[in-house]
Amino acid sequence: MADDLLTAPRNGATDETDTPKGRVEIDDVVIRFKGRHGPVTALSRTSHVLEPGTFTALIGPSGCGKSTLMNAIAGFVTPSEGSLRLDGRPIAGPSPEVGVIFQQYALFPWFTALDNVRYGLKQFGLPRREEIDRARAALAEVGLEAHADKYPQQLSGGMKQRVAIARTFAVGPKVLLLDEPFGALDAQTRLVMHELLLNIWRKHRATVLFVTHDVDEALLLSDHVQVMSQAPGRLIRHYHLTQQRPRAFSRSGSDLLEIRDEILELLHPKTDLADSL
Ligand code: ADP
Ligand code: MG
């Protein structure tokens, strides 16, 4: 019996690569910028924890500080007050542990898809063969192995964003920050990208923070939805979503429709509408 136990294949869940990673602590963070007439608060005092491997959507009105919060987690912006930690260590600047994807694909036009992905790997100083293999594997994960030698201008918007996703995941980040990544894509392409992102997220078990102003997108993708107030933004409502994916608003027993109405009301209170008529 004991022998059987010893030789039994180990459950994949105990494998270290399967362990979710990337706990982000946002602790009393305030961010101010220098404005023409003195300091401008871009983010009101905010505390929150992104648990390892979770998928959180951040939704709020334009200018409320979503990108500012994301840039702080990415290490591009230093908080005026408070602190940010990743797995217990202070975030002191950009690091390969935190990947960022923007709406504008941010690919180098003079590099092929493969070389764009390789660029992200340069920091590791891998042998050339290994760097190419890893970049090719990452492109295969987003279904672009046949387009490795194309330049960005030869690719559609969705394909360019796939290259950006491959470049980011090839590095093996613990945390992935996406700032309205699919905002420039048509509805059909967005759906394809949603499925692709969820598949890659499940496989890599990274912690995802996804900024969007599309309530439906937030509800279809996330474990957690954080709603931000008007500027200067703070987190005003949290929803923990446990509905199975793929999700649909029409599914009976799902309360996604009620949540959608609540969030829309929070973002655009009816009194505002009445005032403007
Ligand atoms: P969101 O992404 O929610 O639309 P942002 O985080 O981009 O909002 O901006 C929040 C506020 O901070 C806005 O008023 C914006 O003008 C201001 N802001 C953002 N970055 C800077 C900066 N580098 N310098 C000065 N003001 C900034
Ligand atoms: Mg923004």
Side-chain angles (χ1 to χ4, degrees):
M1 257 326 240
D3 279 348
D4 282 347
L5 275 176
L6 284 174
T7 53
R10 288 181 54 163
N11 184 326
T14 60
D15 189 321
E16 198 178 271
T17 57
D18 270 5
T19 311
K21 44 200 183 279
R23 184 171 198 270
V24 177
E25 288 169 78
I26 303 160
D27 200 2
D28 268 345
V29 167
V30 179
I31 297 175
R32 294 184 206 93
F33 292 111
K34 272 194 205 114
R36 227 178 295 161
H37 310 289
V40 176
T41 304
L43 184 73
S44 287
R45 192 168 299 280
T46 297
S47 293
H48 184 58
V49 173
L50 302 174
E51 293 295 349
T54 56
F55 194 125
T56 301
L58 188 58
I59 189 158
S62 177
C64 74
K66 303 181 294 293
S67 298
T68 299
L69 176 58
M70 199 155 262
N71 286 332
I73 299 172
F76 301 143
V77 165
T78 307
S80 314
E81 290 179 39
S83 63
L84 290 154
R85 284 184 297 279
L86 171 57
D87 290 336
R89 290 190 307 279
I91 295 174
S95 108
E97 293 185 325
V98 180
V100 188
I101 292 177
F102 302 100
Q103 179 173 329
Q104 291 310 326
Y105 320 107
L107 299 180
F108 294 115
W110 54 83
F111 281 169
T112 61
L114 183 73
D115 287 343
N116 267 285
V117 178
R118 284 181 66 188
Y119 185 84
L121 294 170
K122 288 284 174 222
Q123 56 194 320
F124 301 116
L126 301 170
R128 181 185 145 80
R129 194 65 256 165
E130 196 181 329
E131 186 182 282
I132 293 174
D133 288 349
R134 252 173 93 166
R136 278 201 189 282
L139 281 176
E141 252 190 273
V142 297
L144 285 185
E145 61 268 62
H147 302 274
D149 298 324
K150 291 199 174 143
Y151 289 87
Q153 69 269 24
Q154 297 173 284
L155 302 172
S156 67
M159 288 159 100
K160 280 187 259 203
Q161 204 56 307
R162 285 178 194 224
V163 176
I165 291 173
R167 180 176 59 187
T168 304
F169 273 107
V171 173
K174 293 179 173 178
V175 179
L176 180 61
L177 309 172
L178 301 109
D179 198 349
E180 309 202 21
F182 307 140
L185 305 178
D186 63 81
Q188 193 58 41
T189 306
R190 264 173 176 237
L191 291 180
V192 175
M193 296 303 288
H194 288 168
E195 201 183 320
L196 180 110
L197 176 64
L198 286 176
N199 285 338
I200 295 188
W201 163 66
R202 279 196 200 97
K203 187 170 160 213
H204 290 264
R205 312 290 307 269
T207 307
V208 167
L209 183 62
F210 186 100
V211 168
T212 178
H213 54 238
D214 183 329
V215 181
D216 291 7
E217 186 168 56
L219 293 175
L220 292 175
L221 296 179
S222 321
D223 301 317
H224 299 274
V225 178
Q226 286 287 353
V227 184
M228 281 177 82
S229 70
Q230 300 270 0
R234 56 195 175 80
L235 304 176
I236 50 170
R237 187 73 64 88
H238 167 244
Y239 294 92
H240 183 192
L241 305 177
T242 53
Q243 292 88 344
Q244 270 204 324
R245 301 176 181 91
R247 295 187 186 143
F249 286 96
S250 53
R251 193 158 298 147
S252 65
S254 138
D255 49 3
L256 290 178
L257 278 173
E258 286 108 87
I259 298 175
R260 172 160 70 181
D261 287 347
E262 275 181 32
I263 295 177
L264 288 172
E265 170 68 22
L266 278 171
L267 295 177
H268 315 282
K270 290 205 179 70
T271 48
D272 280 359
L273 186 63
D275 287 348
S276 66
L277 288 176

